[in-house]
Amino acid sequence: MVTAMNKFKPVITTFALATTLLCSFSTWALNLRASVTKTTVSKDEVIQLKITADEKLDSDSINLDVLSDDFYVSRPSFGSSVNIINGKRSDSSIWTVAIAPQKIGTLTIPSFKVNNAATAPITLNVSMNAQAPSSDDILEVRTKLDKKELYPNESTVFNARIIVKVDPRRLQNVNLTKPSAPGMQLQPLADPKQSQAVLNGVEVLVIDQSFRVTANNSGDFTIQAPTLTGLVNYGNGRGNSHIVTLSGQSKQVPIKVLPIPEDYHGPWLPTSNLQLSQHWQLDNQQSVTNQSVTIDAGDSITRTITLTAADLTSEQLPNLSISSPNAFRVYSDKPSFTPNDDGSVTMTTKQVLIAKKSGEYALPSVKVQWWNSQTKQPKISEVSGLNVTVNPGDTTEKAQLPQPPITETKDPLPPQHKDNGYWPILTAVFAILWIISTILWIRATQRNATQNTQTKPPKNKAATTNLKEQLICAIKNRDVIKAQTIFDAWIKNAAISDVDSNKIRKQIKDMSQALVGKSSTPWEHTELISSIKNVKNQNHKQHDDLARL
C-alpha cells in the first residue's frame, strides 16, 4: 500500500501545484465594473457614471463616444492610484463622467471592455419632468427696428438684445448666431457688448448688438435676429440638475421696402432728414456773412460745405460738384465723413479759391436733390453762392513796359501854286527829305527807349527781395498755396531765366504733391530754398552786367 502511494506521489504533487497556480491566476485577472448614481431619471437630468478597474490603465483605455447617441456627455475625469497596506499593493483606475438622457423610455448604458474584461450593461428608466425649464425660460431675445418702412438705398438701425436668465458659468458650448436678412444688406455697427443687469429681481446676463440694415429692392422682407445656441446646466435647488438645450430659434422681424415713385426724376437720395450748410472764410480768418465780398488778387477764400443725412451710409452720400470761374485757382480737399450718435452721417467738403486776376465774379450756389422718406415728398436743399469783387493786387498785376514817346507830326503845307518855275519841284523834294528824316528820327527814338527798358530793372529791387523772403518763409512753413501764389508774383517781377524758373516751379510742384496729395510723403525744403537763393545771386550779376552796357 505504501509502495502504491509512493508510486502516485509525483502525480498528486503536480495536481496540487496546478491547482495553486490556477487560483493565483484568478486573483490576477482584471476586474472592471460600472455604476450610476440612479437608474430612474427624468429627461435631461444629470447623473454620474463611474467606471473602475483594479489595475493601472491609461485614460484612453475606455471609449465613451458610444454614449453620445442617447446622452449628453460632459468631459470625463480620470484618475489612477496605488495603495500599499501591510506590504500588499493594490492599483486602481477610475473614470467619472456626467451624463443626461436625451430621450424618454428605456435607455441602456452599453458594456465597456478593456482587454478580456467588460462591465455589465446598465438599464435606465427615463420619464418626462414637467417642472424642467425650457429654452424660452432661460433665454429671451428682444429687438427694436428704428424704421419699419424703407425705400431702396435707404437704411435703418436694427438693435438686438439677448437676455440670459441663468448664471453664465452654467452655459456649455455656447455660440452667438449671426442675424440674417435675405434680400437686404446687414452690417454690424459694433462688436457685441455684455453686461450684468437685474430683471424682475433676478441677476441676468445681457448681450447687446446693433446692425445697419440697407434696402436694395422693394418688397416685403424678414430680419432674423441673433440668438444663442448651446447647453445650460440647470439646477432645481434640491441637488438635482438638468441639461437644457437652447433651441437656437431666433425672432423674426418683418420690414417693408417701398418702391421708388414712378413720377420721381433726378438723383435718388432717400432720407428722413438732410441738412445742408456752408461757411465762407477769408485769409485773415474772418467769416463772410454777406452775399458779396471784396478781396485783392492773390487773396484766397475758403468754402466749407457740410451735409448731414440720416438713414444713409457714407458711400451713399452724393459727390458735390462745384464749378468755379476760371479766374480762381481751386484746391479741393477730399471729403471727410463723421458718424453721429443718432445714426446720421456728416460729410464735409472744403475748397480753397485763390483769385488770379481782378474783376467781378459769381461763385455758384450748390443744390442737393433728395427724397424725404418721412413725408414721401421730393425736396431740394441749397446753399447760396457768393459775389466776389477782385481788386488788382501789387503782386499779381503784370508790369507795364514803358511805351516809346509819341511824336506828333504836322502834315506838310500844301505847295502853293505859283507861276511857272522850279518851285513846285523843289518843294516836293524838300517834303520827301523831311518825311525820310522824320521816320529815321522815330526809329532812333524807339531804339533808345528799348535799350532803356532793358537796362531798367523790372521792378523795385527791394520789393523783389521782399517777395523772395516771403516765398522762403512760406516754404519753411509748408504753406503750399501761399508759396505758389508768391512764386507766380515773384517770377513776374524779377528777371529770372527760364531754366531757373522751370526748375523752381517743378520743385514747388513736388512740394505740393508731397504735402497735399492723397498720400502724404516725407519732404524737405533744403534743396528748394537753395535753388531760390542761387537765383538771387545770378540776378544781381545780370543787373550789374546790364548796367555797364
Side-chain angles (χ1 to χ4, degrees):
M1 185 68 178
V2 176
T3 303
M5 291 295 292
N6 291 333
K7 184 177 181 181
F8 290 100
K9 187 176 180 179
V11 178
I12 296 172
T13 303
T14 302
F15 179 78
L17 181 60
T19 302
T20 303
L21 290 175
L22 288 174
C23 293
S24 299
F25 289 154
S26 65
T27 59
W28 295 343
L30 174 63
N31 291 322
L32 198 66
R33 62 181 182 273
S35 63
V36 293
T37 53
K38 57 194 308 187
T39 57
T40 300
V41 296
S42 59
K43 182 179 178 293
D44 298 327
E45 184 179 356
V46 179
I47 60 176
Q48 298 294 324
L49 169 64
K50 184 167 66 173
I51 303 172
T52 60
D54 57 0
E55 286 187 10
K56 186 176 182 180
L57 302 174
D58 295 331
S59 61
D60 55 359
S61 299
I62 297 293
N63 184 10
L64 299 174
D65 293 340
V66 295
L67 296 172
S68 59
D69 293 337
D70 297 327
F71 299 89
Y72 296 112
V73 182
S74 68
R75 179 176 298 178
S77 174
F78 172 77
S80 61
S81 62
V82 177
N83 295 324
I84 301 177
I85 301 175
N86 298 327
K88 185 179 180 180
R89 172 180 172 143
S90 62
D91 297 329
S92 64
S93 299
I94 302 175
W95 290 263
T96 304
V97 60
I99 61 174
Q102 303 183 43
K103 305 174 183 178
I104 300 174
T106 302
L107 299 182
T108 301
I109 298 175
S111 174
F112 298 98
K113 295 181 179 180
V114 177
N115 298 331
N116 295 326
T119 63
I122 302 175
T123 301
L124 300 180
N125 296 318
V126 184
S127 61
M128 178 60 72
N129 184 3
Q131 298 180 353
S134 64
S135 177
D136 295 337
D137 296 330
I138 297 175
L139 197 65
E140 181 182 354
V141 179
R142 297 179 181 179
T143 60
K144 178 185 177 183
L145 193 61
D146 288 355
K147 297 183 66 175
K148 296 183 179 180
E149 286 186 351
L150 298 177
Y151 282 93
N153 295 340
E154 190 179 12
S155 63
T156 187
V157 176
F158 174 67
N159 298 296
R161 167 169 290 185
I162 301 174
I163 303 174
V164 182
K165 302 176 183 178
V166 297
D167 190 340
R169 292 173 293 182
R170 293 181 176 270
L171 299 175
Q172 300 178 8
N173 302 326
V174 66
N175 180 48
L176 177 63
T177 64
K178 295 181 179 180
S180 63
M184 309 185 73
Q185 298 180 21
L186 192 65
Q187 182 180 6
L189 297 178
D191 294 333
K193 297 181 180 179
Q194 297 185 16
S195 61
Q196 298 288 335
V198 176
L199 180 63
N200 297 328
V202 179
E203 187 174 3
V204 296
L205 172 67
V206 178
I207 303 174
D208 289 319
Q209 191 171 14
S210 298
F211 304 87
R212 180 174 293 278
V213 183
T214 304
N216 295 326
N217 302 304
S218 60
D220 295 325
F221 302 92
T222 300
I223 302 174
Q224 186 174 359
T227 187
L228 290 180
T229 61
L231 304 175
V232 179
N233 190 349
Y234 189 84
N236 59 6
R238 296 191 300 270
N240 298 330
S241 60
H242 291 76
I243 294 295
V244 179
T245 304
L246 300 178
S247 63
Q249 296 181 356
S250 58
K251 191 174 182 180
Q252 306 291 323
V253 181
I255 184 171
K256 186 178 183 63
V257 181
L258 303 175
I260 299 176
E262 295 181 356
D263 57 349
Y264 181 84
H265 302 285
W268 179 247
L269 189 67
T271 173
S272 60
N273 186 20
L274 188 144
Q275 300 293 331
L276 188 66
S277 61
Q278 73 176 349
H279 178 251
W280 300 92
Q281 191 176 54
L282 301 178
D283 276 346
N284 57 2
Q285 308 300 319
Q286 181 181 354
S287 298
V288 179
T289 57
N290 300 324
Q291 296 297 319
S292 60
V293 68
T294 300
I295 62 174
D296 295 333
D299 291 345
S300 66
I301 301 177
T302 301
R303 184 180 196 177
T304 304
I305 299 178
T306 302
L307 187 152
T308 300
D311 312 323
L312 293 173
T313 63
S314 58
E315 293 80 8
Q316 294 169 324
L317 295 182
N319 292 324
L320 300 181
S321 179
I322 308 173
S323 59
S324 300
N326 294 330
F328 291 85
R329 185 183 292 110
V330 181
Y331 297 90
S332 299
D333 290 347
K334 187 176 180 181
S336 61
F337 301 91
T338 304
N340 303 314
D341 294 337
D342 59 357
S344 62
V345 180
T346 299
M347 180 180 71
T348 303
T349 303
K350 181 181 291 186
Q351 276 190 343
V352 178
L353 301 97
I354 302 177
K356 296 189 296 184
K357 58 182 180 180
S358 59
E360 294 185 358
Y361 307 97
L363 300 182
S365 61
V366 177
K367 298 180 180 180
V368 175
Q369 181 180 357
W370 56 287
W371 176 263
N372 191 324
S373 60
Q374 187 172 2
T375 62
K376 297 180 173 57
Q377 295 293 329
K379 291 200 66 175
I380 294 179
S381 297
E382 181 179 2
V383 289
S384 60
L386 184 67
N387 296 321
V388 182
T389 300
V390 181
N391 295 327
D394 294 338
T395 61
T396 58
E397 296 297 322
K398 293 183 178 179
Q400 299 293 331
L401 295 177
Q403 299 295 328
I406 299 177
T407 304
E408 294 183 358
T409 59
K410 296 182 179 180
D411 294 334
L413 294 175
Q416 296 180 359
H417 296 280
K418 296 182 179 181
D419 295 336
N420 296 334
Y422 60 89
W423 286 111
I425 299 175
L426 184 61
T427 302
V429 171
F430 275 105
I432 293 173
L433 293 175
W434 183 82
I435 291 174
I436 294 174
S437 62
T438 301
I439 293 174
L440 293 177
W441 179 81
I442 292 176
R443 289 182 177 179
T445 303
Q446 291 177 342
R447 188 182 302 108
N448 293 333
T450 303
Q451 291 178 354
N452 293 335
T453 302
Q454 293 177 350
T455 56
K456 181 180 178 181
K459 279 288 182 178
N460 182 273
K461 182 177 179 181
T464 304
T465 304
N466 185 34
L467 285 175
K468 292 180 183 179
E469 293 176 352
Q470 294 179 13
L471 177 59
I472 294 175
C473 181
I475 293 172
K476 290 182 178 180
N477 293 333
R478 307 171 76 88
D479 191 337
V480 177
I481 297 176
K482 187 174 182 179
Q484 290 178 336
T485 304
I486 298 176
F487 172 73
D488 292 340
W490 181 48
I491 62 174
K492 293 176 183 177
N493 290 272
I496 302 175
S497 65
D498 293 340
V499 175
D500 291 336
S501 175
N502 294 334
K503 178 181 177 182
I504 297 175
R505 188 185 302 276
K506 181 180 182 302
Q507 291 175 339
I508 292 180
K509 182 178 179 181
D510 295 339
M511 169 187 173
S512 176
Q513 293 177 350
L515 297 181
V516 300
K518 293 184 178 180
S519 57
S520 300
T521 57
W523 179 82
E524 293 293 336
H525 56 65
T526 306
E527 183 179 356
L528 176 55
I529 294 179
S530 177
S531 300
I532 296 173
K533 292 182 178 179
N534 291 337
V535 169
K536 177 181 178 181
N537 295 333
Q538 181 179 356
N539 288 340
H540 286 173
K541 181 179 179 181
Q542 291 176 353
H543 295 162
D544 294 341
D545 292 342
L546 291 174
R548 289 194 295 266
L549 293 179

